[in-house]
Amino acid sequence: MKTTKTLLRLGTRLAGTLAVTIGAMSIASAENVTLTVWDWKSGDPTTTAYYDKVKADFEAAHPGVTIKYVMQPHDQYYTLLGTAIAASKGPDVVLVHGGSQAKERIAALTKLDDKVADIRTRVAGWDEFAGPDGSVYAVPISIQGLAVYYNKELYKKAGLDPEKTPKTWAELKAVCEALKAAGTTCFALGNKEGYGADFFYSSAAANALTPAQQAAWTAGDLKWSSPEIKAIVQAWVDTQKDGWYAEGANSTAKFMDEYQSFERSENANTIGLLSDVAHWKEFDEFLEPQNVGVFVMPPVTASVNETLLMPLAGGIGYGVTKFSPNQDLAIALAKSFADTPAMQIFFEAAGAVPSDTAVDTSKVESPSAKVVLGSLSNGAALLHNNTSTAETEEWHRQSQMLFTGETTVDKAVARLDEVQAQAKKK
């Protein structure tokens, strides 16, 4: 995280200089080579211009090479990728989420250290794609994180000052009580897949845990039953009992039913992303930029930071499969996804917060985007990025059972301790 923060500090001075880096590696021309890229984004209309740019530039710089994008369904992506890895057959280049999703697949990815030395200082977010020894296995293309977006008009109708955001849990509870009294649901929530619970505990933990505690969590030494984490699980239950959410959260999809309800002004707040989707650009389009606010969710317990830090980390990135027969070309392509001209389009068209610190963001006018971009210089760890897949899947199940009353906080954290111990082999 320390390295990520350092690189992100460099990124706060995003300059207008665009450096064309296609062809930075010296690679001989190839004939009739098709590089297959797996992702879950290339078919999204908001990212079409970005992917078209990468493809056009790379094919022009590498005669005889064809880029083939294969967009897989997001909810089945890692199952399909696991099958391809097991068979050592399939894509040359793959998109992966930073954190556990990337780190649990490092054995199947090519080590990139010496191949990316020329872009290490320009691109941020490498830690989320690094192994225990610090070697990197994917090229980050975005910075991702969590923030609470809110509807300023609904705040005004509830008698709240839309420019005064809550800095403590008690202040956030007071906001929700005022909204509830005005007949407005405080938070949009979709937990059909458990993602709502992921976003909640990562947001609540960001300023509740010290860096040492965050590291202990990653190592599996800080348990779910610890006072710090158990307080967050208890708050998950209490907020539902206090009427923060509309009925049916367990049957509401976070992507995109939750966010569409926020965009229809059916609720006042939502925990969204910084980048790509469910973010400032999307909410601005539906609610108008001047009506969208953003703040960092305060911790349930006392903050360990003097100023609340936004939880953020390397978002998504491209790695190269070890079984690709075109290693050099595939590595060059993975790097090309982080080329500045393409990254500029990714930012402007999709609203992605780019990993490339050379992208010019100075012309952005969105008030909430300015808050997000201004928070990149010093963020907190994104807890769910450092949670094992087994724990995440169990938390999804337990979070739903806590809402239906099928389990208790004590039983839930005890079960999660068991899964954590198995996953981290403690």
Side-chain angles (χ1 to χ4, degrees):
M1 189 64 194
K2 182 178 179 181
T3 302
T4 300
K5 289 180 179 177
T6 301
L7 292 172
L8 290 174
R9 288 189 184 98
L10 295 174
T12 58
R13 300 188 183 90
L14 297 174
T17 303
L18 304 182
V20 178
T21 57
I22 286 288
M25 296 180 64
S26 176
I27 297 173
S29 297
E31 293 184 359
N32 301 320
V33 172
T34 296
L35 293 177
T36 300
V37 181
W38 277 20
D39 60 64
W40 58 88
K41 299 189 74 65
S42 57
D44 184 336
T46 65
T47 61
T48 297
Y50 164 68
Y51 282 102
D52 285 351
K53 174 69 172 172
V54 173
K55 177 180 172 67
D57 285 353
F58 193 85
E59 290 178 349
H62 300 83
V65 177
T66 299
I67 306 303
K68 179 183 178 183
Y69 295 127
V70 178
M71 191 178 86
Q72 303 286 9
H74 185 251
D75 59 347
Q76 301 173 40
Y77 185 77
Y78 288 106
T79 299
L80 295 170
L81 181 56
T83 300
I85 290 172
S88 294
K89 184 179 181 181
D92 299 279
V93 178
V94 294
L95 184 64
V96 289
H97 292 90
S100 297
Q101 296 288 15
K103 294 179 180 182
E104 292 178 2
R105 291 165 178 81
I106 277 176
L109 300 177
T110 299
K111 185 183 293 187
L112 300 177
D113 290 352
D114 59 329
K115 306 296 185 183
V116 297
D118 56 322
I119 64 171
R120 286 292 292 264
T121 57
R122 176 174 58 84
V123 175
W126 295 97
D127 288 358
E128 299 303 310
F129 303 94
D133 65 350
S135 295
V136 296
Y137 293 84
V139 179
I141 64 168
S142 71
I143 301 301
Q144 192 55 282
L146 301 173
V148 179
Y149 293 92
Y150 66 100
N151 184 322
K152 292 185 178 181
E153 284 298 314
L154 293 180
Y155 270 49
K156 290 177 186 175
K157 290 179 181 177
L160 296 166
D161 180 350
E163 305 306 325
K164 184 180 179 182
T165 57
K167 299 296 189 294
T168 66
W169 192 254
E171 291 177 0
L172 180 58
K173 288 180 69 174
V175 166
C176 285
E177 288 168 2
L179 289 164
K180 185 178 177 181
T184 299
T185 302
C186 190
F187 272 84
L189 179 63
N191 199 45
K192 184 177 181 179
E193 309 87 354
Y195 297 150
D198 282 347
F199 282 34
F200 180 88
Y201 91 89
S202 255
S203 296
N207 290 280
L209 304 182
T210 64
Q213 288 173 318
Q214 295 275 6
W217 175 263
T218 302
D221 294 329
L222 183 66
K223 298 184 182 301
W224 285 84
S225 58
S226 67
E228 298 86 355
I229 304 299
K230 187 176 178 180
I232 296 171
V233 176
Q234 183 65 57
W236 170 253
V237 176
D238 292 344
T239 52
Q240 187 214 24
K241 290 180 178 177
D242 291 343
W244 284 27
Y245 318 115
E247 294 292 329
N250 277 351
S251 58
T252 301
K254 189 168 186 65
F255 299 95
M256 295 296 297
D257 291 348
E258 173 185 325
Y259 296 115
Q260 289 171 347
S261 70
F262 177 71
E263 290 159 1
R264 291 193 296 267
S265 297
E266 294 174 357
N267 31 63
N269 303 279
T270 188
I271 302 176
L273 296 167
L274 306 187
S275 221
D276 308 324
V277 68
H279 62 336
W280 55 273
K281 186 175 180 65
E282 181 178 320
F283 300 144
D284 281 1
E285 291 173 358
F286 283 90
L287 299 174
E288 302 297 334
Q290 70 274 14
N291 292 328
V292 179
V294 60
F295 64 87
V296 178
M297 176 177 265
V300 176
T301 52
S303 176
V304 298
N305 301 310
E306 185 174 347
T307 301
L308 296 182
L309 303 180
M310 195 168 284
L312 54 86
I316 53 178
Y318 280 96
V320 174
T321 55
K322 281 185 176 176
F323 53 77
S324 169
N326 307 294
Q327 288 290 306
D328 287 346
L329 281 168
I331 292 168
L333 177 58
K335 293 175 65 177
S336 75
F337 282 105
D339 281 342
T340 302
M343 286 274 88
Q344 189 72 43
I345 293 173
F346 198 31
F347 170 69
E348 293 175 356
V353 177
S355 61
D356 182 358
T357 60
V359 169
D360 182 8
T361 63
S362 63
K363 296 181 178 62
V364 70
E365 295 181 353
S366 164
S368 54
K370 289 180 179 178
V371 173
V372 168
L373 294 171
S375 301
L376 301 181
S377 60
N378 190 19
L382 201 55
L383 202 67
H384 74 257
N385 263 19
N386 299 314
T387 305
S388 67
T389 298
E391 289 171 81
T392 297
E393 291 176 351
E394 185 63 26
W395 169 234
H396 290 172
R397 193 171 75 90
Q398 294 294 330
S399 71
Q400 294 174 337
M401 293 171 64
L402 285 165
F403 268 20
T404 60
E406 295 174 81
T407 190
T408 65
V409 170
D410 285 336
K411 289 179 180 178
V413 297
R415 173 59 187 151
L416 286 158
D417 278 352
E418 293 175 356
V419 175
Q420 182 189 46
Q422 181 62 33
K424 302 291 176 61
K425 299 187 184 304
K426 296 290 180 183

